[in-house]
């Protein structure tokens, strides 16, 4: 009997002991996992095989006031190809017909699609891109193409759906319609109506649990969603697409003609404040125009002479002057300290009334009037402007409303020339919409209403929220002042000397004010000096239905830059086309026209027509229309020569009708 060497036994014991200790460690770890860390590892396993997916709700539609779509959500599809799951026989049988079908639908050569499919097969690509951005009709068709109609496992088709937002009007009102976007961190960018009313439009996300069944593929678990998605509400805006189209194209044509940098147009319903059109166009590097920024709401700038209306209303309300007050325009140049105010007309206008100064837009007159009447207490002027709400934002739901600037004594930027400069629209700042709101208040007999972009929120046929007219100030000034400045605004266009007289039309009465403000006037470089051309007003002048403002920045100075020439024609075009599409209704008190002669003629014809004739009647002196009617009722053919009343008939009166078939009547 032989025994193993002692050192070998020691090694065996060590190995056995090590294995025993390892087994104990494994058992300990298993128990620990089951008892202590079980929940943790079960969660990790679940995360790798099961996942909660977000179900995006369908965003509500954005409509114009007449129900036309401004923005809507549509499904778009991306088609990919899993080359591994398809059998060799199915692939070879289907690759040619599939390529031809794709070529016919999508327009690229057959070889293009066959190369994609064969390359994917060779490289065992399970996610080869075939087509993007397909609509639902294309998606339905492509599912029935050769090979793809076998389904995802035998045919390799992978279809991915996403919801995208589309604007049926295209580039028209694109910035005003806007968008709402979220980045990967959940931060939102909100622009225009889409951003302003996103809380109604976006809906509520749903949740669905899915199980991973293959690389990149997940299968829903169960029949129901964990949380059902709720589609967004529909929003009915105040926009009128016909007026929007008119405003857009009128602005675009003028920007192109004057090679301007950018511009905006707003049309608002006078009584309600409903915005019917808001167009913003900026120039690109290629000298084309598109809706780049919402200048109408967001761009605050010095308004120039359109602010003379505000200055005049303030001074009249404070009892400083009236429309008949005479002011000396100082030969068109008035110096205040080290600055000079000039009129556009060389030599000025002499001594004129305040009303006339407004019509001709005299800078010197307004600078003198406001400075001399308020120089002892400048805050009286600025307080009046603030009391009329000119220092306050309108509180628009669209993000980015520009902040108005109405300085007061003691504030940064105030100086001894501030009153004179503010009087004609410098050292103050307003957005186009803020300026329009004031003009609309004058058209509305002093009632200042908040401009409004939304009518109601709907869920199918149920109204979720309704938005009514909001009055910001029932009377920005007295009725006496309103009526006087209404006449002055009319005179700007109607008077032969008015700066807007070139816009006068025999078919439509306009009221408004021109404005031509300098930009970059502090620069000594004349090439940097630019202009802002404006026309603000309302129409029809005697019964205002709409107010409108046109602002065009930096027109080419060699073509023109005055507000009446650049902005005025856009205003005129918009007003004319709106009223031609929506004629103003006029009610006549009495349509009855008294005429004893006509009554006697009709009575005589009626009596004669009731008779039973056997002979040709006497027609001389009867109107041609009545004579023809009478003879044709007797079965005779009638030929007439001339116009008016019968002076001669070819068959004499008293002739037996039995032998007569035709009569010729001579009229005079």
């Amino acid at each position: 009997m032989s025994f193993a060497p002692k050192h070998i036994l020691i090694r065996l014991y060590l190995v056995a002991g090590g294995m025993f200790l390892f087994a104990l460690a494994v058992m300990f770890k298993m128990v620990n996992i089951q008892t202590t860390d079980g929940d943790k590892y079960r969660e990790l396993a679940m995360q790798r095989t099961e996942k909660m997916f977000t179900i995006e709700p369908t965003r509500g539609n954005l409509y114009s006031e007449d129900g036309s779509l401004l923005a809507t959500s549509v499904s778009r599809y991306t088609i990919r190809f899993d080359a591994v799951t398809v059998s060799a026989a199915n692939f070879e049988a289907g690759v040619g017909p599939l390529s031809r079908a794709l070529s016919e639908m999508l327009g690229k050569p057959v070889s293009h699609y066959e190369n994609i499919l064969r390359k994917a097969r060779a490289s065992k690509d399970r996610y080869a891109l075939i087509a993007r951005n397909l609509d639902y009709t294309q998606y339905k068709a492509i599912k029935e193409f050769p090979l793809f109609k076998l389904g995802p496992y035998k045919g390799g088709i992978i279809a991915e759906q996403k919801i995208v937002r589309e604007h049926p009007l295209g580039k028209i009102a694109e910035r005003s319609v806007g968008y709402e976007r979220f980045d990967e961190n959940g931060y939102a960018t909100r622009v225009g109506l889409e951003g302003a009313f996103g809380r109604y439009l976006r809906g509520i996300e749903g949740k669905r649990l899915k199980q991973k069944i293959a690389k990149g593929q997940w299968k829903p678990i169960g029949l129901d969603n964990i949380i059902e998605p709720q589609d967004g509400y529909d929003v009915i805006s105040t926009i009128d697409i016909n007026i929007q189209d008119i405003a857009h194209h009128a602005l675009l044509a003028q920007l192109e003609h004057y090679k301007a940098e950018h511009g905006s147009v707003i049309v608002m319903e006078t009584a309600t404040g409903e915005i019917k059109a808001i167009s913003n166009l900026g120039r690109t590097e290629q000298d084309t125009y598109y809706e780049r920024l919402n200048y109408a709401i967001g761009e605050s700038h010095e308004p120039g002479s359109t602010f003379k209306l505000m200055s005049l209303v303030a001074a009249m309300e404070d009892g400083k002057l009236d429309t008949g007050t005479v002011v000396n325009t100082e030969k068109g140049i008035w110096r205040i300290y080290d600055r000079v105010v000039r009129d556009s007309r060389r030599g000025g206008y002499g001594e004129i009334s305040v009303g006339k100064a407004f019509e001709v837009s005299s800078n010197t007159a307004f600078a003198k009037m406001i400075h001399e009447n308020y120089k002892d207490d400048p805050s009286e002027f600025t307080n009046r402007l603030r009391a009329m709400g000119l220092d306050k934002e309108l509180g628009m739901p669209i993000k980015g409303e520009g902040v108005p600037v109405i300085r007061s004594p003691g504030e940064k930027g105030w100086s001894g020339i501030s009153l004179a400069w503010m009087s004609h629209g410098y050292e103050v700042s307003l957005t186009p919409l803020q300026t329009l709101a004031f003009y609309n208040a004058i058209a509305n007999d002093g009632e200042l209403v908040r401009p409004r972009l939304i009518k109601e929120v709907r869920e199918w046929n149920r109204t979720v929220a309704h938005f009514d007219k909001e009055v910001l100030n029932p009377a920005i000034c007295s009725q006496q002042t309103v009526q006087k400045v209404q006449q002055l605004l009319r005179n700007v266009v109607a008077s032969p000397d008015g700066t807007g007289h070139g816009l006068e039309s025999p078919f439509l009465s306009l009221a408004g004010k021109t404005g031509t403000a300098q930009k970059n006037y502090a620069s000594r470089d004349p090439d940097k000096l630019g202009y802002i051309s404006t026309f603000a007003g309302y129409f029809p002048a005697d019964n205002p239905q709409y107010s409108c403002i046109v602002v065009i920045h930096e027109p080419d100075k060699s073509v023109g830059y005055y507000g009446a020439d650049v902005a005025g024609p856009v205003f005129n075009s918009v007003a004319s086309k709106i009223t031609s599409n929506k004629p103003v209704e006029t009610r006549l008190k009495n349509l009855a026209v008294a005429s004893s002669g006509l009554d006697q003629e009709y009575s005589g014809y009626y009596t004669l027509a009731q008779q039973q004739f056997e002979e040709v009647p006497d027609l001389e002196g009867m109107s041609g229309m009545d004579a023809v009617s009478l003879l044709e009722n007797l079965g005779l053919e009638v030929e007439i020569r001339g116009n008016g009343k019968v002076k001669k008939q070819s068959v004499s009166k008293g002739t037996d009708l039995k032998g007569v078939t035709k009569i010729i009547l001579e009229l005079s």
Side-chain angles (χ1 to χ4, degrees), residues 47 55 61 69 148 177 233 235 259 466 565 621 632 660 664:
Q47 288 179 0
I55 306 173
N61 292 329
L69 276 172
F148 281 171
V177 172
Y233 297 131
V235 171
K259 305 173 185 176
H466 186 78
D565 300 327
E632 287 183 344
V660 180
I664 300 173

Side-chain angles (χ1 to χ4, degrees), residues 213-506:
I213 58 174
K215 184 178 180 180
Q217 295 182 347
W218 296 80
K219 176 183 177 181
I221 298 175
L223 298 176
D224 299 322
N225 297 320
I226 303 300
I227 300 175
E228 291 294 335
Q230 296 181 30
D231 292 344
Y233 297 131
D234 293 335
V235 171
I236 315 300
S237 76
T238 62
I239 297 296
D240 182 312
I241 59 169
N242 292 321
I243 297 178
Q244 181 70 45
D245 184 68
I246 289 168
H248 173 89
H249 286 98
L251 176 63
L252 177 60
Q254 202 74 339
L255 290 173
E256 290 175 338
H257 177 72
Y258 282 92
K259 305 173 185 176
E261 205 280 328
H262 67 269
S264 59
V265 176
I266 313 169
V267 181
M268 187 159 63
E269 192 172 74
T270 305
T272 65
E274 291 185 359
I275 294 176
K276 298 303 178 184
I278 179 168
S279 182
N280 301 277
L281 295 173
R283 188 173 61 191
T284 68
E285 293 180 356
Q286 293 74 37
D287 291 332
T288 58
Y289 292 89
Y290 77 112
E291 291 241 344
R292 185 173 62 186
L293 296 170
N294 199 332
Y295 306 108
I297 292 176
E299 185 176 41
S300 187
H301 61 85
E302 291 177 312
S305 290
T306 53
F307 196 79
K308 287 172 181 171
L309 175 65
M310 293 73 157
S311 297
L312 180 57
V313 170
M316 291 175 67
E317 284 296 283
D318 287 335
K320 303 294 184 180
L321 47 82
D322 203 349
T323 55
T325 304
V326 176
V327 59
N328 189 345
T329 61
E330 303 290 349
K331 297 183 179 180
I333 299 176
W334 183 64
R335 182 175 294 277
I336 176 171
Y337 300 113
D338 62 338
R339 301 291 292 274
V340 174
V341 181
R342 299 179 184 274
D343 282 333
S344 59
R345 175 177 173 176
R346 185 180 294 274
Y349 302 92
E351 291 189 354
I352 56 176
S353 68
V354 167
K356 197 67 175 180
F358 187 83
E359 291 175 23
V360 300
S361 199
S362 170
N363 294 334
T364 60
F366 270 79
K368 282 185 66 177
M369 290 188 314
I370 299 302
H371 178 77
E372 291 179 356
N373 279 290
Y374 288 100
K375 62 184 178 182
D376 295 332
D377 186 8
S379 61
E380 185 181 5
F381 178 65
T382 58
N383 286 343
R384 175 61 68 176
L385 296 177
R386 291 174 183 240
M388 293 189 294
L390 290 168
D391 64 324
K392 299 178 181 66
E393 296 177 24
L394 294 168
M396 299 299 295
I398 288 182
K399 298 290 184 181
E401 181 181 357
V403 179
V405 176
I406 302 291
R407 293 192 183 93
S408 289
E411 294 182 359
K412 184 179 180 180
W414 185 269
S415 70
I417 65 170
S418 290
L419 281 174
W421 252 246
M422 290 174 70
S423 70
H424 58 291
Y426 293 92
E427 292 194 18
V428 295
S429 186
L430 296 171
T431 67
L433 185 58
Q434 289 160 358
T435 298
L436 179 61
F438 189 91
Y439 274 74
N440 190 80
I442 296 300
N444 205 27
D445 293 331
E447 183 181 72
L448 178 65
V449 296
R450 192 192 309 277
R452 187 155 50 94
L453 284 158
I454 182 173
K455 281 179 173 286
E456 63 178 354
V457 178
R458 298 185 65 83
E459 182 184 32
W460 296 101
N461 294 324
R462 181 176 72 91
T463 298
V464 176
H466 186 78
F467 297 85
D468 295 315
K469 169 182 173 180
E470 292 184 68
V471 178
L472 297 176
N473 188 340
I476 60 171
C477 61
S478 67
Q479 283 299 299
Q480 184 180 20
T481 297
V482 165
Q483 291 170 3
K484 289 181 178 180
V485 296
Q486 283 176 342
Q487 185 58 54
L488 295 185
L489 289 166
R490 174 67 185 127
N491 292 347
V492 168
V493 180
S495 171
D497 296 327
T499 55
H501 184 64
L503 309 177
E504 178 69 347
S505 166

Side-chain angles (χ1 to χ4, degrees), residues 37-233:
D37 298 327
D39 292 340
K40 171 184 173 182
Y41 287 105
R42 275 190 291 272
E43 179 66 23
L44 288 173
M46 290 288 289
Q47 288 179 0
R48 293 178 181 179
T49 60
E50 295 182 359
K51 184 177 179 182
M52 192 71 74
F53 282 78
T54 296
I55 306 173
E56 293 292 337
T58 300
R59 191 175 178 89
N61 292 329
L62 179 64
Y63 293 98
S64 67
E65 66 169 0
D66 68 349
S68 300
L69 276 172
L70 298 177
T72 187
S73 294
V74 297
S75 293
R76 292 292 176 183
Y77 298 86
T78 296
I79 304 299
R80 296 181 181 272
F81 178 59
D82 182 350
V84 174
T85 192
V86 182
S87 68
N90 285 340
F91 180 81
E92 291 301 330
V95 65
L98 174 59
S99 299
R100 287 190 290 274
L102 289 170
S103 174
E104 185 176 343
M105 172 186 281
L106 303 175
K108 292 184 179 180
V110 175
S111 59
H112 171 79
Y113 294 103
E114 187 163 353
N115 287 339
I116 290 176
L117 295 167
R118 291 193 176 279
K119 184 177 179 180
R121 182 74 175 178
S123 62
K124 298 182 179 181
D125 189 345
R126 306 200 66 173
Y127 204 58
L129 177 65
I130 303 299
R132 281 195 177 100
N133 204 34
L134 301 181
D135 61 30
Y136 181 73
T137 302
Q138 292 173 311
Y139 161 68
K140 291 289 287 184
I142 213 169
K143 283 177 63 179
E144 301 303 319
F145 282 1
L147 188 59
F148 281 171
K149 66 182 178 182
L150 300 178
Y153 297 109
K154 292 184 178 181
I157 184 173
I158 300 172
E160 299 172 338
Q161 178 186 5
K162 66 176 181 178
I163 304 297
V164 298
R165 203 69 168 160
E166 290 195 347
H167 297 169
L169 290 183
K171 295 299 181 182
I172 296 177
E174 183 179 35
R175 194 72 184 182
S176 299
V177 172
Y179 56 83
E180 183 179 50
R181 297 173 184 164
F182 294 87
D183 63 17
E184 63 275 8
N185 298 316
Y187 294 111
T189 301
R190 297 185 174 95
V191 173
L193 293 168
E194 287 265 33
F197 306 115
R199 64 188 184 278
Y200 299 118
L201 291 163
R202 74 177 72 100
I204 300 175
E205 294 178 344
K207 298 292 182 182
R208 184 69 187 266
L209 187 63
K210 295 184 179 182
Q211 184 179 36
K212 190 173 184 179
I213 58 174
K215 184 178 180 180
Q217 295 182 347
W218 296 80
K219 176 183 177 181
I221 298 175
L223 298 176
D224 299 322
N225 297 320
I226 303 300
I227 300 175
E228 291 294 335
Q230 296 181 30
D231 292 344
Y233 297 131

Side-chain angles (χ1 to χ4, degrees), residues 507-529:
F507 308 108
L508 176 64
S509 59
L510 306 177
K513 182 71 185 73
T514 58
T516 309
Q518 290 187 351
K519 289 181 71 174
N520 306 319
Y521 48 80
S523 173
R524 296 186 178 184
D525 184 352
D527 292 335
K528 293 183 178 179
L529 179 66

